[in-house]
Amino acid sequence: MLDADAELIDERIAVTGDLVATVRELMTAAATSELAPEELEAIRGELAVLAARLAERSRPTPLRQHLDLAAIDRVRAGASWPLWRHNPLAIPLDVRVHDGVASADLVPGPLYEGPPGSMHGGLSAAVLDSLLAVLAQVQRRRVVTVGLQVSYRAAIPLGAPVRLVGRIVGTEGRKTTAVGEILLPASGPGQPETVAVSAEALLVEIPGAPD
Ligand SMILES: CCCCCCCC(=O)SCCNC(=O)CCNC(=O)[C@H](O)C(C)(C)COP(=O)(O)OP(=O)(O)OC[C@H]1O[C@@H](n2cnc3c(N)ncnc32)[C@H](O)[C@@H]1OP(=O)(O)O
């Protein structure tokens, strides 16, 4: 690949990431705005123009930043991996891997709501699934999830920080078992974090280069 092509791809990855981050802000603002109906209708018209403009040239699926061998080496050296940066429907996570433990911080926003005021269980499962799949990929295993057992132990309030952690507990042939948790902050100094959600994933290696 020519240097100029690589630069263009890097620029597209960066600019699209910023665009999608702004779209996420827009999604939250649209879903929660209490402006007058006529103002909302005017904004909808402006947004429809922008959506049509973006769709003038498009690709079949979202842009994707590949967790290739070079990226895996960077993560193993301490860099975080910006997961789902280019898909506004997914929850973005900056995944870190240290001493075999994956972790990420998250503040569930208004759009993550399931039961009133707390995070949707399917989204909790999705973020843990993603965290554990990335952890396996950082161990150079290109995997998909074939099973995910999730246990919901405490509600996750919206707007407050939580911590995701995950680790691999076993490998056998193509199969990897990994466990993860979503932790609520400690209620005070010296207190433990509370496990809000725990999950066990069965991941199976598939052929092909890591991505
Ligand atoms: C970069 C971040 C990405 C984030 C992605 C997040 C992760 C995801 O959500 S992945 C998407 C959801 N998952 C999928 O779409 C997977 C769908 N399943 C498949 O494609 C196939 O089942 C596949 C390719 C995994 C395995 O098929 P195949 O290659 O024929 O292998 P197969 O022999 O059936 O299974 C391999 C082993 O896994 C086991 N296995 C497969 N499926 C299951 C299952 N559902 N439950 C338990 N064990 C299973 C088999 O028993 C076998 O075990 P053993 O080696 O001991 O005999």
Side-chain angles (χ1 to χ4, degrees), residues 64-65 67 81 83-84 126 129-131 133-134 137 143-147 172-175 202-207 211:
R64 197 180 177 110
Q65 205 168 352
L67 188 51
W81 179 247
L83 187 58
W84 300 130
D129 182 27
S130 293
L131 182 87
V134 166
Q137 293 189 11
V143 295
V144 287
T145 310
V146 297
E172 185 199 332
R174 291 168 60 198
K175 294 185 291 187
L202 181 59
L203 309 155
V204 171
E205 211 164 343
I206 54 171
D211 65 357

Side-chain angles (χ1 to χ4, degrees), residues 5-129:
D5 291 341
E7 270 175 35
L8 193 63
I9 291 171
D10 286 349
E11 189 183 353
R12 180 174 292 283
I13 282 175
V15 171
T16 305
D18 291 346
L19 174 65
V20 167
T22 303
V23 168
R24 284 201 185 93
E25 289 171 26
L26 180 63
M27 286 162 63
T28 303
T32 58
S33 177
E34 294 206 303
L35 290 176
E38 56 276 17
E39 234 177 312
L40 292 177
E41 182 53 29
I43 292 169
R44 191 199 63 76
E46 290 176 40
L47 290 177
V49 172
L50 292 177
R53 189 170 154 205
L54 285 167
E56 270 170 25
R57 263 197 299 144
S58 60
R59 38 191 297 135
T61 57
L63 187 65
R64 197 180 177 110
Q65 205 168 352
H66 292 291
L67 188 51
D68 56 19
L69 290 173
I72 287 172
D73 284 345
R74 288 198 298 276
V75 174
R76 289 169 80 101
S80 61
W81 179 247
L83 187 58
W84 300 130
R85 187 171 164 217
H86 300 98
N87 182 344
L89 195 59
I91 295 177
L93 295 175
D94 275 325
V95 178
R96 302 173 298 274
V97 179
H98 184 66
D99 283 345
V101 176
S103 63
D105 298 311
L106 179 69
V107 179
L111 300 186
Y112 303 1
E113 185 173 56
S118 59
M119 184 156 166
H120 190 284
L123 298 180
S124 298
V127 289
L128 284 173
D129 182 27

